[in-house]
Amino acid sequence: MGFFEDLSATVNRGLDDASRMADNAGAKFKLAEAKRRRREAMADYGESMFEAYSQEPTFAQGREELIAAVAKIDEEIAAIQAKIDENERRTAEKKTVLSCPTCGATLAEGVNFCSNCGTAIAYEPPAEPAQPVEPQQPAQPQQPAATVDFEVVDNPETQA
């Protein structure tokens, strides 16, 4: 029976080693996460201190280059954000709105039939911006495929 006792002891040592390695890996992960949270807290603290004291002459003394570098980065951030805002504004203004030529219902882009009246839809982009399509009464319950003009309209969400 000595062989099985030795085998059992070896397996138990291996399990203990594996358990310690798993515990160590978990502890290392928790340590890295705690260090990351500390870096974020220190960055927030430093930013709050900078905002609070950068205009104080005694604080600014000897830190002029750092303060100027932060101001330059802030200007860059503002310019990039302005470009993003302008692009988003332009995109919102140019939203394409499709209307059914038969009943005037708003259509999702790419649909083949009007979900309101069932009119078959064929898309042809206009050469120039079209005037709003007036709702028409259908002559028959369902007409042959109609052409939908794209209309550029102001997005009410962008108007304030």
PDB file of all heavy atoms in Angstrom, residues 44-80:
ATOM      1  N   ASP A  44      -7.695  62.225 -11.263  1.00  0.00           N
ATOM      2  CA  ASP A  44      -8.814  63.103 -10.923  1.00  0.00           C
ATOM      3  C   ASP A  44      -8.392  64.136  -9.879  1.00  0.00           C
ATOM      4  O   ASP A  44      -8.744  65.319  -9.968  1.00  0.00           O
ATOM      5  CB  ASP A  44     -10.004  62.291 -10.399  1.00  0.00           C
ATOM      6  CG  ASP A  44     -10.673  61.456 -11.474  1.00  0.00           C
ATOM      7  OD1 ASP A  44     -10.437  61.713 -12.677  1.00  0.00           O
ATOM      8  OD2 ASP A  44     -11.430  60.535 -11.104  1.00  0.00           O
ATOM      9  N   TYR A  45      -7.638  63.679  -8.876  1.00  0.00           N
ATOM     10  CA  TYR A  45      -7.149  64.592  -7.840  1.00  0.00           C
ATOM     11  C   TYR A  45      -6.246  65.660  -8.449  1.00  0.00           C
ATOM     12  O   TYR A  45      -6.403  66.854  -8.184  1.00  0.00           O
ATOM     13  CB  TYR A  45      -6.393  63.800  -6.767  1.00  0.00           C
ATOM     14  CG  TYR A  45      -5.758  64.663  -5.711  1.00  0.00           C
ATOM     15  CD1 TYR A  45      -6.536  65.244  -4.718  1.00  0.00           C
ATOM     16  CD2 TYR A  45      -4.381  64.899  -5.704  1.00  0.00           C
ATOM     17  CE1 TYR A  45      -5.962  66.037  -3.750  1.00  0.00           C
ATOM     18  CE2 TYR A  45      -3.803  65.696  -4.734  1.00  0.00           C
ATOM     19  CZ  TYR A  45      -4.595  66.260  -3.763  1.00  0.00           C
ATOM     20  OH  TYR A  45      -4.028  67.061  -2.802  1.00  0.00           O
ATOM     21  N   GLY A  46      -5.317  65.222  -9.292  1.00  0.00           N
ATOM     22  CA  GLY A  46      -4.411  66.176  -9.932  1.00  0.00           C
ATOM     23  C   GLY A  46      -5.164  67.167 -10.799  1.00  0.00           C
ATOM     24  O   GLY A  46      -4.854  68.369 -10.803  1.00  0.00           O
ATOM     25  N   GLU A  47      -6.167  66.698 -11.530  1.00  0.00           N
ATOM     26  CA  GLU A  47      -6.956  67.602 -12.366  1.00  0.00           C
ATOM     27  C   GLU A  47      -7.714  68.611 -11.510  1.00  0.00           C
ATOM     28  O   GLU A  47      -7.762  69.803 -11.827  1.00  0.00           O
ATOM     29  CB  GLU A  47      -7.930  66.797 -13.224  1.00  0.00           C
ATOM     30  CG  GLU A  47      -8.645  67.632 -14.256  1.00  0.00           C
ATOM     31  CD  GLU A  47      -9.453  66.798 -15.234  1.00  0.00           C
ATOM     32  OE1 GLU A  47      -9.160  65.604 -15.402  1.00  0.00           O
ATOM     33  OE2 GLU A  47     -10.387  67.367 -15.821  1.00  0.00           O
ATOM     34  N   SER A  48      -8.275  68.141 -10.388  1.00  0.00           N
ATOM     35  CA  SER A  48      -9.003  69.072  -9.522  1.00  0.00           C
ATOM     36  C   SER A  48      -8.052  70.088  -8.900  1.00  0.00           C
ATOM     37  O   SER A  48      -8.400  71.271  -8.776  1.00  0.00           O
ATOM     38  CB  SER A  48      -9.774  68.320  -8.438  1.00  0.00           C
ATOM     39  OG  SER A  48      -8.902  67.763  -7.483  1.00  0.00           O
ATOM     40  N   MET A  49      -6.866  69.658  -8.532  1.00  0.00           N
ATOM     41  CA  MET A  49      -5.871  70.597  -7.974  1.00  0.00           C
ATOM     42  C   MET A  49      -5.442  71.596  -9.043  1.00  0.00           C
ATOM     43  O   MET A  49      -5.317  72.794  -8.771  1.00  0.00           O
ATOM     44  CB  MET A  49      -4.654  69.833  -7.432  1.00  0.00           C
ATOM     45  CG  MET A  49      -4.963  68.971  -6.231  1.00  0.00           C
ATOM     46  SD  MET A  49      -5.545  69.904  -4.812  1.00  0.00           S
ATOM     47  CE  MET A  49      -4.061  70.772  -4.367  1.00  0.00           C
ATOM     48  N   PHE A  50      -5.231  71.117 -10.245  1.00  0.00           N
ATOM     49  CA  PHE A  50      -4.841  72.007 -11.335  1.00  0.00           C
ATOM     50  C   PHE A  50      -5.918  73.055 -11.571  1.00  0.00           C
ATOM     51  O   PHE A  50      -5.625  74.242 -11.693  1.00  0.00           O
ATOM     52  CB  PHE A  50      -4.593  71.197 -12.616  1.00  0.00           C
ATOM     53  CG  PHE A  50      -4.189  72.050 -13.782  1.00  0.00           C
ATOM     54  CD1 PHE A  50      -2.866  72.433 -13.944  1.00  0.00           C
ATOM     55  CD2 PHE A  50      -5.129  72.491 -14.693  1.00  0.00           C
ATOM     56  CE1 PHE A  50      -2.496  73.235 -15.006  1.00  0.00           C
ATOM     57  CE2 PHE A  50      -4.767  73.291 -15.759  1.00  0.00           C
ATOM     58  CZ  PHE A  50      -3.444  73.675 -15.917  1.00  0.00           C
ATOM     59  N   GLU A  51      -7.165  72.615 -11.650  1.00  0.00           N
ATOM     60  CA  GLU A  51      -8.271  73.551 -11.882  1.00  0.00           C
ATOM     61  C   GLU A  51      -8.381  74.560 -10.746  1.00  0.00           C
ATOM     62  O   GLU A  51      -8.669  75.730 -10.970  1.00  0.00           O
ATOM     63  CB  GLU A  51      -9.597  72.800 -12.059  1.00  0.00           C
ATOM     64  CG  GLU A  51      -9.646  71.908 -13.276  1.00  0.00           C
ATOM     65  CD  GLU A  51      -9.505  72.665 -14.588  1.00  0.00           C
ATOM     66  OE1 GLU A  51      -9.990  73.797 -14.694  1.00  0.00           O
ATOM     67  OE2 GLU A  51      -8.904  72.091 -15.516  1.00  0.00           O
ATOM     68  N   ALA A  52      -8.184  74.098  -9.522  1.00  0.00           N
ATOM     69  CA  ALA A  52      -8.346  74.978  -8.360  1.00  0.00           C
ATOM     70  C   ALA A  52      -7.203  75.975  -8.206  1.00  0.00           C
ATOM     71  O   ALA A  52      -7.429  77.119  -7.799  1.00  0.00           O
ATOM     72  CB  ALA A  52      -8.472  74.138  -7.089  1.00  0.00           C
ATOM     73  N   TYR A  53      -5.991  75.579  -8.547  1.00  0.00           N
ATOM     74  CA  TYR A  53      -4.845  76.416  -8.206  1.00  0.00           C
ATOM     75  C   TYR A  53      -4.012  76.906  -9.375  1.00  0.00           C
ATOM     76  O   TYR A  53      -3.047  77.648  -9.170  1.00  0.00           O
ATOM     77  CB  TYR A  53      -3.925  75.654  -7.238  1.00  0.00           C
ATOM     78  CG  TYR A  53      -4.583  75.371  -5.921  1.00  0.00           C
ATOM     79  CD1 TYR A  53      -4.987  74.086  -5.578  1.00  0.00           C
ATOM     80  CD2 TYR A  53      -4.825  76.395  -5.016  1.00  0.00           C
ATOM     81  CE1 TYR A  53      -5.600  73.822  -4.377  1.00  0.00           C
ATOM     82  CE2 TYR A  53      -5.443  76.147  -3.809  1.00  0.00           C
ATOM     83  CZ  TYR A  53      -5.823  74.863  -3.489  1.00  0.00           C
ATOM     84  OH  TYR A  53      -6.441  74.614  -2.302  1.00  0.00           O
ATOM     85  N   SER A  54      -4.330  76.560 -10.613  1.00  0.00           N
ATOM     86  CA  SER A  54      -3.462  76.951 -11.729  1.00  0.00           C
ATOM     87  C   SER A  54      -3.404  78.461 -11.918  1.00  0.00           C
ATOM     88  O   SER A  54      -2.438  78.969 -12.479  1.00  0.00           O
ATOM     89  CB  SER A  54      -3.910  76.269 -13.021  1.00  0.00           C
ATOM     90  OG  SER A  54      -5.213  76.688 -13.382  1.00  0.00           O
ATOM     91  N   GLN A  55      -4.414  79.186 -11.449  1.00  0.00           N
ATOM     92  CA  GLN A  55      -4.414  80.642 -11.576  1.00  0.00           C
ATOM     93  C   GLN A  55      -3.724  81.329 -10.384  1.00  0.00           C
ATOM     94  O   GLN A  55      -3.519  82.545 -10.414  1.00  0.00           O
ATOM     95  CB  GLN A  55      -5.846  81.165 -11.726  1.00  0.00           C
ATOM     96  CG  GLN A  55      -6.585  80.586 -12.918  1.00  0.00           C
ATOM     97  CD  GLN A  55      -5.874  80.853 -14.232  1.00  0.00           C
ATOM     98  OE1 GLN A  55      -5.410  81.959 -14.489  1.00  0.00           O
ATOM     99  NE2 GLN A  55      -5.763  79.833 -15.069  1.00  0.00           N
ATOM    100  N   GLU A  56      -3.395  80.579  -9.360  1.00  0.00           N
ATOM    101  CA  GLU A  56      -2.699  81.136  -8.196  1.00  0.00           C
ATOM    102  C   GLU A  56      -1.221  81.341  -8.539  1.00  0.00           C
ATOM    103  O   GLU A  56      -0.538  80.393  -8.930  1.00  0.00           O
ATOM    104  CB  GLU A  56      -2.805  80.183  -6.997  1.00  0.00           C
ATOM    105  CG  GLU A  56      -4.190  80.009  -6.461  1.00  0.00           C
ATOM    106  CD  GLU A  56      -4.655  81.216  -5.674  1.00  0.00           C
ATOM    107  OE1 GLU A  56      -3.816  81.878  -5.021  1.00  0.00           O
ATOM    108  OE2 GLU A  56      -5.869  81.504  -5.737  1.00  0.00           O
ATOM    109  N   PRO A  57      -0.699  82.548  -8.386  1.00  0.00           N
ATOM    110  CA  PRO A  57       0.702  82.814  -8.754  1.00  0.00           C
ATOM    111  C   PRO A  57       1.704  81.922  -8.018  1.00  0.00           C
ATOM    112  O   PRO A  57       2.675  81.460  -8.616  1.00  0.00           O
ATOM    113  CB  PRO A  57       0.905  84.281  -8.386  1.00  0.00           C
ATOM    114  CG  PRO A  57      -0.472  84.867  -8.358  1.00  0.00           C
ATOM    115  CD  PRO A  57      -1.396  83.761  -7.960  1.00  0.00           C
ATOM    116  N   THR A  58       1.459  81.649  -6.750  1.00  0.00           N
ATOM    117  CA  THR A  58       2.432  80.830  -6.010  1.00  0.00           C
ATOM    118  C   THR A  58       2.423  79.384  -6.503  1.00  0.00           C
ATOM    119  O   THR A  58       3.449  78.729  -6.528  1.00  0.00           O
ATOM    120  CB  THR A  58       2.149  80.864  -4.495  1.00  0.00           C
ATOM    121  OG1 THR A  58       0.803  80.454  -4.266  1.00  0.00           O
ATOM    122  CG2 THR A  58       2.365  82.253  -3.933  1.00  0.00           C
ATOM    123  N   PHE A  59       1.265  78.890  -6.880  1.00  0.00           N
ATOM    124  CA  PHE A  59       1.166  77.527  -7.415  1.00  0.00           C
ATOM    125  C   PHE A  59       1.757  77.455  -8.815  1.00  0.00           C
ATOM    126  O   PHE A  59       2.445  76.500  -9.166  1.00  0.00           O
ATOM    127  CB  PHE A  59      -0.298  77.072  -7.452  1.00  0.00           C
ATOM    128  CG  PHE A  59      -0.489  75.704  -8.050  1.00  0.00           C
ATOM    129  CD1 PHE A  59      -0.270  74.566  -7.297  1.00  0.00           C
ATOM    130  CD2 PHE A  59      -0.866  75.550  -9.381  1.00  0.00           C
ATOM    131  CE1 PHE A  59      -0.442  73.300  -7.844  1.00  0.00           C
ATOM    132  CE2 PHE A  59      -1.036  74.296  -9.935  1.00  0.00           C
ATOM    133  CZ  PHE A  59      -0.828  73.162  -9.160  1.00  0.00           C
ATOM    134  N   ALA A  60       1.466  78.465  -9.624  1.00  0.00           N
ATOM    135  CA  ALA A  60       1.901  78.467 -11.022  1.00  0.00           C
ATOM    136  C   ALA A  60       3.408  78.635 -11.154  1.00  0.00           C
ATOM    137  O   ALA A  60       3.991  78.198 -12.150  1.00  0.00           O
ATOM    138  CB  ALA A  60       1.182  79.570 -11.787  1.00  0.00           C
ATOM    139  N   GLN A  61       4.043  79.268 -10.182  1.00  0.00           N
ATOM    140  CA  GLN A  61       5.486  79.515 -10.263  1.00  0.00           C
ATOM    141  C   GLN A  61       6.246  78.197 -10.394  1.00  0.00           C
ATOM    142  O   GLN A  61       6.072  77.269  -9.611  1.00  0.00           O
ATOM    143  CB  GLN A  61       5.955  80.262  -9.014  1.00  0.00           C
ATOM    144  CG  GLN A  61       7.388  80.723  -9.095  1.00  0.00           C
ATOM    145  CD  GLN A  61       7.774  81.550  -7.876  1.00  0.00           C
ATOM    146  OE1 GLN A  61       7.018  81.689  -6.937  1.00  0.00           O
ATOM    147  NE2 GLN A  61       8.966  82.097  -7.907  1.00  0.00           N
ATOM    148  N   GLY A  62       7.028  78.107 -11.453  1.00  0.00           N
ATOM    149  CA  GLY A  62       7.807  76.912 -11.723  1.00  0.00           C
ATOM    150  C   GLY A  62       7.030  75.859 -12.505  1.00  0.00           C
ATOM    151  O   GLY A  62       7.577  74.826 -12.878  1.00  0.00           O
ATOM    152  N   ARG A  63       5.752  76.114 -12.727  1.00  0.00           N
ATOM    153  CA  ARG A  63       4.911  75.160 -13.453  1.00  0.00           C
ATOM    154  C   ARG A  63       4.352  75.783 -14.732  1.00  0.00           C
ATOM    155  O   ARG A  63       3.402  75.265 -15.308  1.00  0.00           O
ATOM    156  CB  ARG A  63       3.756  74.707 -12.569  1.00  0.00           C
ATOM    157  CG  ARG A  63       4.198  73.942 -11.339  1.00  0.00           C
ATOM    158  CD  ARG A  63       2.988  73.567 -10.480  1.00  0.00           C
ATOM    159  NE  ARG A  63       3.375  72.808  -9.321  1.00  0.00           N
ATOM    160  CZ  ARG A  63       3.653  73.330  -8.132  1.00  0.00           C
ATOM    161  NH1 ARG A  63       3.583  74.641  -7.950  1.00  0.00           N
ATOM    162  NH2 ARG A  63       4.008  72.562  -7.131  1.00  0.00           N
ATOM    163  N   GLU A  64       4.954  76.872 -15.188  1.00  0.00           N
ATOM    164  CA  GLU A  64       4.445  77.604 -16.347  1.00  0.00           C
ATOM    165  C   GLU A  64       4.381  76.723 -17.598  1.00  0.00           C
ATOM    166  O   GLU A  64       3.399  76.789 -18.348  1.00  0.00           O
ATOM    167  CB  GLU A  64       5.304  78.850 -16.635  1.00  0.00           C
ATOM    168  CG  GLU A  64       5.237  79.925 -15.576  1.00  0.00           C
ATOM    169  CD  GLU A  64       6.209  79.699 -14.409  1.00  0.00           C
ATOM    170  OE1 GLU A  64       6.997  78.733 -14.440  1.00  0.00           O
ATOM    171  OE2 GLU A  64       6.170  80.498 -13.465  1.00  0.00           O
ATOM    172  N   GLU A  65       5.400  75.925 -17.834  1.00  0.00           N
ATOM    173  CA  GLU A  65       5.411  75.068 -19.023  1.00  0.00           C
ATOM    174  C   GLU A  65       4.288  74.034 -18.964  1.00  0.00           C
ATOM    175  O   GLU A  65       3.619  73.778 -19.972  1.00  0.00           O
ATOM    176  CB  GLU A  65       6.760  74.366 -19.174  1.00  0.00           C
ATOM    177  CG  GLU A  65       7.871  75.295 -19.611  1.00  0.00           C
ATOM    178  CD  GLU A  65       9.200  74.568 -19.795  1.00  0.00           C
ATOM    179  OE1 GLU A  65       9.179  73.342 -20.063  1.00  0.00           O
ATOM    180  OE2 GLU A  65      10.242  75.228 -19.677  1.00  0.00           O
ATOM    181  N   LEU A  66       4.088  73.453 -17.799  1.00  0.00           N
ATOM    182  CA  LEU A  66       3.019  72.474 -17.629  1.00  0.00           C
ATOM    183  C   LEU A  66       1.659  73.129 -17.849  1.00  0.00           C
ATOM    184  O   LEU A  66       0.802  72.584 -18.564  1.00  0.00           O
ATOM    185  CB  LEU A  66       3.082  71.857 -16.231  1.00  0.00           C
ATOM    186  CG  LEU A  66       1.946  70.904 -15.863  1.00  0.00           C
ATOM    187  CD1 LEU A  66       1.920  69.702 -16.789  1.00  0.00           C
ATOM    188  CD2 LEU A  66       2.058  70.476 -14.421  1.00  0.00           C
ATOM    189  N   ILE A  67       1.454  74.290 -17.272  1.00  0.00           N
ATOM    190  CA  ILE A  67       0.176  74.994 -17.416  1.00  0.00           C
ATOM    191  C   ILE A  67      -0.055  75.374 -18.873  1.00  0.00           C
ATOM    192  O   ILE A  67      -1.170  75.220 -19.398  1.00  0.00           O
ATOM    193  CB  ILE A  67       0.131  76.222 -16.483  1.00  0.00           C
ATOM    194  CG1 ILE A  67       0.099  75.742 -15.020  1.00  0.00           C
ATOM    195  CG2 ILE A  67      -1.063  77.109 -16.803  1.00  0.00           C
ATOM    196  CD1 ILE A  67       0.296  76.836 -13.996  1.00  0.00           C
ATOM    197  N   ALA A  68       0.989  75.837 -19.563  1.00  0.00           N
ATOM    198  CA  ALA A  68       0.862  76.186 -20.984  1.00  0.00           C
ATOM    199  C   ALA A  68       0.563  74.942 -21.827  1.00  0.00           C
ATOM    200  O   ALA A  68      -0.249  74.993 -22.758  1.00  0.00           O
ATOM    201  CB  ALA A  68       2.131  76.868 -21.478  1.00  0.00           C
ATOM    202  N   ALA A  69       1.191  73.816 -21.507  1.00  0.00           N
ATOM    203  CA  ALA A  69       0.951  72.572 -22.249  1.00  0.00           C
ATOM    204  C   ALA A  69      -0.495  72.117 -22.068  1.00  0.00           C
ATOM    205  O   ALA A  69      -1.148  71.704 -23.034  1.00  0.00           O
ATOM    206  CB  ALA A  69       1.914  71.478 -21.792  1.00  0.00           C
ATOM    207  N   VAL A  70      -1.013  72.223 -20.853  1.00  0.00           N
ATOM    208  CA  VAL A  70      -2.399  71.839 -20.602  1.00  0.00           C
ATOM    209  C   VAL A  70      -3.342  72.769 -21.354  1.00  0.00           C
ATOM    210  O   VAL A  70      -4.322  72.324 -21.962  1.00  0.00           O
ATOM    211  CB  VAL A  70      -2.709  71.829 -19.082  1.00  0.00           C
ATOM    212  CG1 VAL A  70      -4.199  71.672 -18.827  1.00  0.00           C
ATOM    213  CG2 VAL A  70      -1.925  70.723 -18.381  1.00  0.00           C
ATOM    214  N   ALA A  71      -3.049  74.070 -21.363  1.00  0.00           N
ATOM    215  CA  ALA A  71      -3.891  75.037 -22.081  1.00  0.00           C
ATOM    216  C   ALA A  71      -3.898  74.727 -23.577  1.00  0.00           C
ATOM    217  O   ALA A  71      -4.954  74.789 -24.230  1.00  0.00           O
ATOM    218  CB  ALA A  71      -3.405  76.458 -21.815  1.00  0.00           C
ATOM    219  N   LYS A  72      -2.740  74.373 -24.126  1.00  0.00           N
ATOM    220  CA  LYS A  72      -2.662  74.042 -25.549  1.00  0.00           C
ATOM    221  C   LYS A  72      -3.479  72.785 -25.859  1.00  0.00           C
ATOM    222  O   LYS A  72      -4.202  72.730 -26.856  1.00  0.00           O
ATOM    223  CB  LYS A  72      -1.201  73.843 -25.959  1.00  0.00           C
ATOM    224  CG  LYS A  72      -1.012  73.615 -27.437  1.00  0.00           C
ATOM    225  CD  LYS A  72       0.458  73.521 -27.800  1.00  0.00           C
ATOM    226  CE  LYS A  72       0.613  73.272 -29.295  1.00  0.00           C
ATOM    227  NZ  LYS A  72       2.005  73.141 -29.684  1.00  0.00           N
ATOM    228  N   ILE A  73      -3.393  71.784 -25.012  1.00  0.00           N
ATOM    229  CA  ILE A  73      -4.163  70.556 -25.195  1.00  0.00           C
ATOM    230  C   ILE A  73      -5.656  70.852 -25.068  1.00  0.00           C
ATOM    231  O   ILE A  73      -6.466  70.325 -25.840  1.00  0.00           O
ATOM    232  CB  ILE A  73      -3.715  69.466 -24.200  1.00  0.00           C
ATOM    233  CG1 ILE A  73      -2.280  69.019 -24.515  1.00  0.00           C
ATOM    234  CG2 ILE A  73      -4.669  68.275 -24.220  1.00  0.00           C
ATOM    235  CD1 ILE A  73      -1.637  68.177 -23.436  1.00  0.00           C
ATOM    236  N   ASP A  74      -6.032  71.715 -24.121  1.00  0.00           N
ATOM    237  CA  ASP A  74      -7.442  72.093 -23.977  1.00  0.00           C
ATOM    238  C   ASP A  74      -7.960  72.780 -25.235  1.00  0.00           C
ATOM    239  O   ASP A  74      -9.093  72.535 -25.657  1.00  0.00           O
ATOM    240  CB  ASP A  74      -7.639  72.999 -22.759  1.00  0.00           C
ATOM    241  CG  ASP A  74      -7.544  72.245 -21.440  1.00  0.00           C
ATOM    242  OD1 ASP A  74      -7.609  70.995 -21.457  1.00  0.00           O
ATOM    243  OD2 ASP A  74      -7.410  72.914 -20.394  1.00  0.00           O
ATOM    244  N   GLU A  75      -7.146  73.620 -25.863  1.00  0.00           N
ATOM    245  CA  GLU A  75      -7.538  74.276 -27.114  1.00  0.00           C
ATOM    246  C   GLU A  75      -7.713  73.238 -28.224  1.00  0.00           C
ATOM    247  O   GLU A  75      -8.659  73.306 -29.014  1.00  0.00           O
ATOM    248  CB  GLU A  75      -6.496  75.307 -27.541  1.00  0.00           C
ATOM    249  CG  GLU A  75      -6.451  76.537 -26.674  1.00  0.00           C
ATOM    250  CD  GLU A  75      -5.285  77.461 -27.008  1.00  0.00           C
ATOM    251  OE1 GLU A  75      -4.559  77.206 -28.000  1.00  0.00           O
ATOM    252  OE2 GLU A  75      -5.098  78.448 -26.273  1.00  0.00           O
ATOM    253  N   GLU A  76      -6.812  72.259 -28.277  1.00  0.00           N
ATOM    254  CA  GLU A  76      -6.898  71.195 -29.276  1.00  0.00           C
ATOM    255  C   GLU A  76      -8.181  70.373 -29.074  1.00  0.00           C
ATOM    256  O   GLU A  76      -8.898  70.068 -30.029  1.00  0.00           O
ATOM    257  CB  GLU A  76      -5.668  70.290 -29.180  1.00  0.00           C
ATOM    258  CG  GLU A  76      -5.620  69.186 -30.196  1.00  0.00           C
ATOM    259  CD  GLU A  76      -4.381  68.308 -30.043  1.00  0.00           C
ATOM    260  OE1 GLU A  76      -3.446  68.672 -29.317  1.00  0.00           O
ATOM    261  OE2 GLU A  76      -4.372  67.236 -30.666  1.00  0.00           O
ATOM    262  N   ILE A  77      -8.474  70.048 -27.824  1.00  0.00           N
ATOM    263  CA  ILE A  77      -9.688  69.295 -27.506  1.00  0.00           C
ATOM    264  C   ILE A  77     -10.920  70.089 -27.935  1.00  0.00           C
ATOM    265  O   ILE A  77     -11.845  69.537 -28.536  1.00  0.00           O
ATOM    266  CB  ILE A  77      -9.743  68.955 -25.999  1.00  0.00           C
ATOM    267  CG1 ILE A  77      -8.697  67.891 -25.661  1.00  0.00           C
ATOM    268  CG2 ILE A  77     -11.147  68.498 -25.578  1.00  0.00           C
ATOM    269  CD1 ILE A  77      -8.493  67.669 -24.171  1.00  0.00           C
ATOM    270  N   ALA A  78     -10.935  71.390 -27.646  1.00  0.00           N
ATOM    271  CA  ALA A  78     -12.081  72.231 -28.015  1.00  0.00           C
ATOM    272  C   ALA A  78     -12.258  72.280 -29.532  1.00  0.00           C
ATOM    273  O   ALA A  78     -13.390  72.217 -30.033  1.00  0.00           O
ATOM    274  CB  ALA A  78     -11.908  73.631 -27.442  1.00  0.00           C
ATOM    275  N   ALA A  79     -11.161  72.378 -30.285  1.00  0.00           N
ATOM    276  CA  ALA A  79     -11.244  72.427 -31.744  1.00  0.00           C
ATOM    277  C   ALA A  79     -11.756  71.102 -32.306  1.00  0.00           C
ATOM    278  O   ALA A  79     -12.601  71.087 -33.206  1.00  0.00           O
ATOM    279  CB  ALA A  79      -9.880  72.756 -32.341  1.00  0.00           C
ATOM    280  N   ILE A  80     -11.279  69.994 -31.774  1.00  0.00           N
ATOM    281  CA  ILE A  80     -11.730  68.678 -32.229  1.00  0.00           C
ATOM    282  C   ILE A  80     -13.208  68.491 -31.900  1.00  0.00           C
ATOM    283  O   ILE A  80     -13.991  68.030 -32.728  1.00  0.00           O
ATOM    284  CB  ILE A  80     -10.875  67.556 -31.605  1.00  0.00           C
ATOM    285  CG1 ILE A  80      -9.436  67.630 -32.133  1.00  0.00           C
ATOM    286  CG2 ILE A  80     -11.488  66.181 -31.880  1.00  0.00           C
ATOM    287  CD1 ILE A  80      -8.455  66.769 -31.371  1.00  0.00           C
TER     288      ILE A  80
END
